[in-house]
């Protein structure tokens, strides 16, 4: 393949089918896939796991779908044992740095597929890039292969590990009676009504959904940039809700909500708007608690420069915009509040307070539980 090659006929499809046939491989499915079912059809034919971002549309209950790749690949013995010979990378990359580093360290033939030919390859590991709609290309490659050409043992390793990780995460996160960032992401996704839309803000919400969200069908997930950039998120959610004409839920951090709270101007007066905003409020920039400066910078200075506590009553701010405000204080109340808001219709804000310093420990405990489950 050339560095960038458009699909102009059967030649590319046949070359991919020949290269994939009989190989141990992995599909990494990110945002920008119009035909998720085509991806899953190829995965079944090849018996390859699909490391599926929620934005891809591929993270649905399916025998080839892996939902907790970030947690699994933090466990070095599993990461080494699961190394494939071929990687098919579809759409935009996942937010997980762990997955990115694992891909960068593989000795594998890696092929990228992106609808408009955008090159997502910071580590220079792609052997080729195909400009095509990823799901449609996968469907054509699947049709060019025999009925089943893969070795199911490698797939079984991934699926068994993913099931163990899911059980460990559910037990560990479910043990917290107070709201935690990962559990808010999990419960919000679970509470979106069938046919609804979920908008995920950048920074921690998109990561928590990618790392801990369970497979879910009948929900369309949107995100602006995937990892960075908190401007315009509220306005994006309003646009999705109005454009889709379906109940829409937004998960957003407090700083991003403050940054774009004017996106709610006039929203409550729109009779055609069904939007529920779940604000994870840890009074500042929670993602910075995970970075080196949290432990090497004096705490007072850290708070002033990185933590940036705002002290704003976000529920009161939402009420000014005419939103119905639900203040949630227990973990078990998040899902029911989101569901009730969608059933009522209109503009709602579910205000959830969490502790950003404790949030680091919650994530660490979740990853440790998965490592223990993997042995």
């Amino acid at each position: 393949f050339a560095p960038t090659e458009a699909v102009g006929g059967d030649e590319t499809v046949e070359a991919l089918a020949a290269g994939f046939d009989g190989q141990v491989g992995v599909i990494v499915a990110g945002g920008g896939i119009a035909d998720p079912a085509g991806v899953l059809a190829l995965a079944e034919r090849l018996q390859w796991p699909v490391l599926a971002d929620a934005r891809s549309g591929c993270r649905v209950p399916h025998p080839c779908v892996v939902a907790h790749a970030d947690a699994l690949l933090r466990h070095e013995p599993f990461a080494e044992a699961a190394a494939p010979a071929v990687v098919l990378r579809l759409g935009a990359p996942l937010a997980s740095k762990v997955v990115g580093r694992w891909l960068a360290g593989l000795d594998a033939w890696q092929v990228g597929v992106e609808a408009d030919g955008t090159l997502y390859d910071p580590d220079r590991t792609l052997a080729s890039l195909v400009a095509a709609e990823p799901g449609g290309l996968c469907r054509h490659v699947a049709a060019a292969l025999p009925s089943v050409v893969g070795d199911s043992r490698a797939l079984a390793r991934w699926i068994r590990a993913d099931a163990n990780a899911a059980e460990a995460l559910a037990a560990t996160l479910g043990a917290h009676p107070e709201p935690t960032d990962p559990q808010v992401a999990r419960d919000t996704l679970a509470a979106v009504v069938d046919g609804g839309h979920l908008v995920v803000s950048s920074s921690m919400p998109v990561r928590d959904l990618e790392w801990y969200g369970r497979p879910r069908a009948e929900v369309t997930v949107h995100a602006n940039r995937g990892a960075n950039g908190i401007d315009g998120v509220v306005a994006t959610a309003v646009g999705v809700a109005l454009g889709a004409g379906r109940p829409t839920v937004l998960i957003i951090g407090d700083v991003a909500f403050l940054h774009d709270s004017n996106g709610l101007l006039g929203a409550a007066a729109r009779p055609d708007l069904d939007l529920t905003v779940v604000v994870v409020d840890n009074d500042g920039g929670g993602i910075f608690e995970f970075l080196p400066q949290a432990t090497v910078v004096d705490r007072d200075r850290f708070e002033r420069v990185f933590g940036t506590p705002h002290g704003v009553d976000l529920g009161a701010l939402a009420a000014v915009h005419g939103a119905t405000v639900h203040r949630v204080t227990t973990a078990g109340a998040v899902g029911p509040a989101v569901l009730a808001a969608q059933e009522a219709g209109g503009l709602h804000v579910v205000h959830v307070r969490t502790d950003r310093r404790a949030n680091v420990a919650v994530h660490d405990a979740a990853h440790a539980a998965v490592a223990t489950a993997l042995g």
Side-chain angles (χ1 to χ4, degrees), residues 58-252:
C58 297
R59 188 182 284 190
V60 298
H62 186 276
C64 293
V65 168
V66 173
H68 305 101
D70 178 272
L72 297 178
L73 295 174
R74 289 174 186 267
H75 187 58
E76 190 171 335
F78 177 84
E80 292 178 356
V86 180
V87 179
L88 180 60
R89 289 157 48 182
L90 307 177
L94 277 60
S96 170
K97 185 179 293 186
V98 173
V99 173
R101 286 175 175 169
W102 181 72
L103 292 172
L106 292 176
D107 181 17
W109 179 43
Q110 302 199 35
V111 178
V113 184
E114 211 282 328
D116 60 7
T118 301
L119 181 64
Y120 296 110
D121 191 25
D123 297 300
R124 309 292 190 211
T125 53
L126 283 182
S128 56
L129 173 66
V130 179
E133 195 288 302
L137 178 67
C138 287
R139 188 177 293 278
H140 286 298
V141 174
L145 288 163
S147 57
V148 175
V149 299
D151 185 342
S152 62
R153 290 174 296 180
L155 172 62
R157 179 191 296 114
W158 278 98
I159 299 305
R160 182 170 58 251
D162 195 52
N164 290 339
E167 184 176 347
L169 289 172
T172 303
L173 297 175
H176 289 268
E178 79 284 2
T180 63
D181 293 37
Q183 192 66 45
V184 170
R186 286 164 64 88
D187 290 351
T188 299
L189 172 63
V192 178
V193 298
D194 284 354
H197 292 250
L198 178 64
V199 182
V200 191
S201 182
S202 301
S203 198
M204 287 309 298
V206 73
R207 289 177 168 86
D208 284 332
L209 188 70
E210 180 182 296
W211 299 351
Y212 307 114
R214 289 162 286 198
R216 173 70 204 277
E218 304 299 331
V219 174
T220 303
V221 179
H222 309 265
N224 279 347
R225 295 174 180 82
N228 306 301
I230 60 171
D231 53 305
V233 178
V234 174
T236 296
V238 171
V240 169
L242 292 174
R246 295 288 301 162
T248 299
V249 179
L250 165 65
I251 308 175
I252 189 170

